[in-house]
Amino acid sequence: MSTLENEKVAPLSNYVPKIPKEIECSVERTLEVIGGKWAFLVLRELFCGTKRFGELQRQITGISPKSLTDILRHLEEHGVLERMAFPTVPVTVEYTLTPKGQDLHQIIREMKLWSAKWT
């Protein structure tokens, strides 16, 4: 473990990255935030822009409504996406990546390139 010598900056919102005091092996922590296989597919769709629940369900083959609901809640709790509900009948709900979620794009792109090369 090493120590970073950075000044603390007061966060302007919930999505401002923190400045770690110590650097630890964070691959496991990243995987806890991202979640399972469905999360990668949800992120893939949201990298293209805001989507509604039904759009996500149609575009992700094989995902059940319960699994999609669970992963959307998980990603929202971890600040990866935002859920916007509009007072319509029925209620319209849209999901958008936060800056934290957008920051995952490069990681997932690299995984895609690795898969194309090695599998």
Side-chain angles (χ1 to χ4, degrees):
M1 292 190 198
S2 63
T3 303
L4 293 179
E5 297 178 3
N6 292 325
E7 295 179 15
K8 288 188 176 185
V9 178
L12 301 174
S13 76
N14 292 335
Y15 304 114
V16 174
K18 65 180 181 178
I19 300 171
K21 291 183 180 181
E22 296 180 3
I23 297 175
E24 55 189 65
C25 180
S26 54
V27 172
E28 185 176 342
R29 290 182 63 195
T30 302
L31 291 174
E32 287 173 9
V33 170
I34 293 174
K37 80 171 189 176
W38 295 121
F40 287 95
L41 300 177
V42 168
L43 290 169
R44 178 193 68 194
E45 296 304 322
L46 292 177
F47 288 140
C48 298
T50 300
K51 303 276 191 224
R52 292 183 180 175
F53 185 91
E55 290 177 291
L56 290 169
Q57 191 173 13
R58 282 189 301 276
Q59 293 172 341
I60 301 171
T61 306
I63 193 168
S64 70
K66 182 187 181 323
S67 294
L68 182 55
T69 298
D70 290 347
I71 197 60
L72 289 169
R73 284 182 182 154
H74 174 83
L75 293 172
E76 182 182 14
E77 287 170 6
H78 285 86
V80 174
L81 60 81
E82 288 181 318
R83 178 184 186 272
M84 298 288 294
F86 300 94
T88 58
V89 178
V91 175
T92 301
V93 179
E94 294 181 343
Y95 297 92
T96 305
L97 291 176
T98 62
K100 181 178 182 178
Q102 286 290 345
D103 217 25
L104 292 167
H105 198 180
Q106 181 180 355
I107 295 168
I108 293 174
R109 182 177 176 273
E110 289 298 322
M111 291 173 70
K112 181 179 178 180
L113 292 173
W114 180 89
S115 177
K117 181 177 180 179
W118 294 103
T119 61

